[in-house]
Amino acid sequence: MNETADATTSPEALRATMLAKVQQQGYAKLPEVARVISEVPRHEFVPEASLADAHNPWQAVITHRFADGTSLSCASAPFVVALMLDQLAVERGNKILEIGAGTGYNASLLAELSGNEANVVTIDVDPDVTEQATRNLAATGYSGIHVVTGDGALGVPEHAPFDRIIATVSPWDIPRAWWRQLVPGGKLVVPLRWRGQSRSVGFTYRDGLLIADSIELCGFVYLVGDDEGEKSAPITDDGTIRLHWDRDQPVDLEALRGVLDRPRSTAWSDVTIAGDEPHDGIWLRLTVTDPRVCRLNVPADTAPSVCDPISPGRAPALVEDSSLAYLTSRRRDEDDSTRWELGAVAHGPAADELARHLCDEIRAWSMHRDDRKPTLVAYAADTPDSALPGPPIDKTHSRLVLAYEIE
């Protein structure tokens, strides 16, 4: 806790500083989004946090946890709040559904953007969370917002239809109820998961399709009960290193058991990045170009001789039968500036091919870096292959088709 900041800096000044830092990074682009973030007292929705923590632009404030200690509810980091509100592009008078009530802070921002508290509905499955949100909203003068305890995957049909739907929890799929409760031309912003990674996707609902307008990196607490689509299992005898994949991917766990004990093949791409330069676009690209991409989770204390991914907690990996490759990096010093070269480590019979292929993908990404985003369209699950413009990622309620436009 920063007691000095709490004692000498007003919440208004801290909000102004918080907003300035968020805007410097390219968020809160819309004037109305900047306005409501500057006006709504964020600290009053997280009274257990210090003023400094409440206004940290990059820090979420955890307010509720599962019994095992994992977070269940939080006030999202201000930059994420701004990012998603930019994507949502609320207009005055819009009716809005929020999935995941959290502290009530986001609902208050939505009410300000809509101009009418009664237009905002927020739902959460946990009664402790909705009680907290109700209490915070009442204390800050937003008692007209509808707070509902229930399954967010079902939406809130009694208040539908909605002009805007925003999910502040991360689903593996887009529940069919959300499609039905969104008006034609309406917008949905959702931290959607596919191929092991999560992206905040801004969709517009048009002609029965959800067409992405924007795709941004983010991470959220998972939607409760929405875990049947992403699979996870250890690939080492001690159970510490795990693979995560989607259920439509043909992963053979028995074939992969002990794969990291097999001879290692390493390849380097000659592509370098600075220490603070993003590389997540490689993963996004792989979800478009390679159906074999999964996620590898490696404990931070794992010896590099065992497994050396670019990011221990989560790194893209390619799986083919009994072979696996993952993204790695090594430090290079050039012209007195430190840079990291991107490469691939692979194990198994197809190690050499997988490592070379991953390096090819790194080089292809490097031509555009993160400036080039794919198109993403969600089709209903019963859409036949013949009506799809490309190979899908199949989920329960939807079929995702990602592609790069031909230049």
Side-chain angles (χ1 to χ4, degrees):
M1 180 179 293
N2 189 333
E3 295 293 351
T4 301
D6 284 356
T8 62
T9 308
S10 70
E12 293 77 14
L14 286 170
R15 280 203 304 278
T17 300
M18 174 187 77
L19 176 60
K21 291 179 178 178
V22 165
Q23 289 184 308
Q24 285 172 5
Q25 297 301 312
Y27 308 111
K29 297 175 184 177
L30 298 180
E32 282 301 291
V33 171
R35 179 186 66 80
V36 299
I37 289 176
S38 70
E39 293 178 355
V40 173
R42 177 177 168 87
H43 66 289
E44 293 187 18
F45 290 88
V46 286
E48 68 281 5
S50 70
L51 283 177
D53 287 345
H55 296 94
N56 185 322
W58 325 119
Q59 178 178 309
V61 179
I62 305 300
T63 59
H64 194 59
R65 293 184 180 273
F66 286 111
D68 65 2
T70 57
S71 60
L72 173 61
S73 180
C74 68
S76 299
F79 86 93
V80 174
V81 172
L83 179 160
M84 296 182 73
L85 291 181
D86 279 341
Q87 291 180 298
L88 194 64
V90 174
E91 298 178 354
R92 302 292 284 184
N94 278 169
K95 287 185 63 179
I96 308 166
L97 172 61
E98 179 190 33
I99 313 295
T103 64
Y105 172 64
N106 206 59
S108 70
L109 297 174
L110 295 171
E112 291 289 345
L113 290 169
S114 175
N116 186 345
E117 294 178 28
N119 283 346
V120 178
V121 181
T122 184
I123 183 170
D124 203 286
V125 71
D126 191 307
D128 291 338
V129 172
T130 53
E131 181 183 349
Q132 169 189 246
T134 300
R135 184 172 61 251
N136 290 341
L137 288 166
T140 49
Y142 294 96
S143 56
I145 293 172
H146 303 280
V147 182
V148 179
T149 301
D151 184 353
L154 302 178
V156 185
E158 61 268 31
H159 288 282
F162 299 98
D163 303 291
R164 301 288 188 270
I165 298 178
I166 182 171
T168 56
V169 288
S170 182
W172 180 80
D173 193 10
I174 306 169
R176 197 63 190 160
W178 299 0
W179 299 59
R180 290 194 295 265
Q181 293 174 32
L182 191 61
V183 302
K187 292 183 178 295
L188 165 68
V189 174
V190 54
L192 189 61
R193 308 194 319 268
W194 72 94
R195 299 302 187 244
Q197 45 101 69
S198 173
R199 304 273 167 168
S200 180
V201 184
F203 290 103
T204 297
Y205 188 44
R206 189 179 302 128
D207 299 325
L209 306 176
L210 288 169
I211 302 171
D213 305 309
S214 58
I215 304 174
E216 303 292 344
L217 183 67
C218 74
F220 270 88
V221 174
Y222 286 8
L223 178 66
V224 174
D226 182 46
D227 56 2
E228 82 285 355
E230 186 176 83
K231 307 299 181 181
S232 173
I235 58 171
T236 53
D237 290 338
D238 63 5
T240 58
I241 298 177
R242 300 182 68 88
L243 186 72
H244 298 254
W245 70 98
D246 288 336
R247 70 181 186 193
D248 66 322
Q249 295 177 291
V251 170
D252 185 343
L253 272 180
E254 286 307 311
L256 283 173
R257 194 81 62 186
V259 64
L260 298 177
D261 298 326
R262 298 166 194 160
R264 173 183 294 199
S265 177
T266 304
W268 298 101
S269 66
D270 290 324
V271 172
T272 64
I273 59 172
D276 60 351
E277 189 175 353
H279 59 271
D280 63 273
I282 298 170
W283 200 339
L284 179 58
R285 176 183 173 81
L286 287 169
T287 71
V288 182
T289 63
D290 199 315
R292 301 171 296 183
V293 65
C294 306
R295 178 171 95 242
L296 198 63
N297 273 44
V298 183
D301 59 356
T302 301
S305 59
V306 175
C307 192
D308 189 22
I310 189 168
S311 301
R314 40 197 305 124
L318 299 178
V319 171
E320 182 177 321
D321 300 325
S322 57
S323 300
L324 176 144
Y326 58 84
L327 186 65
T328 190
S329 63
R330 65 180 176 183
R331 190 168 182 163
R332 281 176 44 171
D333 293 315
E334 300 172 343
D335 302 324
D336 298 324
S337 64
T338 300
R339 296 187 66 80
W340 297 80
E341 183 179 8
L342 302 176
V345 172
H347 302 262
D352 291 343
E353 183 277 326
L354 285 179
R356 284 195 301 268
H357 174 72
L358 186 48
C359 284
D360 286 343
E361 290 292 313
I362 293 168
R363 286 186 282 267
W365 162 81
S366 183
M367 293 176 63
H368 303 279
R369 298 287 165 127
D370 287 311
D371 293 332
R372 189 185 188 201
K373 298 285 180 68
T375 60
L376 168 57
V377 179
Y379 295 78
D382 59 359
T383 305
D385 288 349
S386 59
L388 299 177
I393 295 175
D394 281 319
K395 295 178 176 286
T396 304
H397 306 287
S398 61
R399 311 187 78 187
L400 306 184
V401 177
L402 293 101
Y404 282 107
E405 294 181 350
I406 298 174
E407 297 184 338

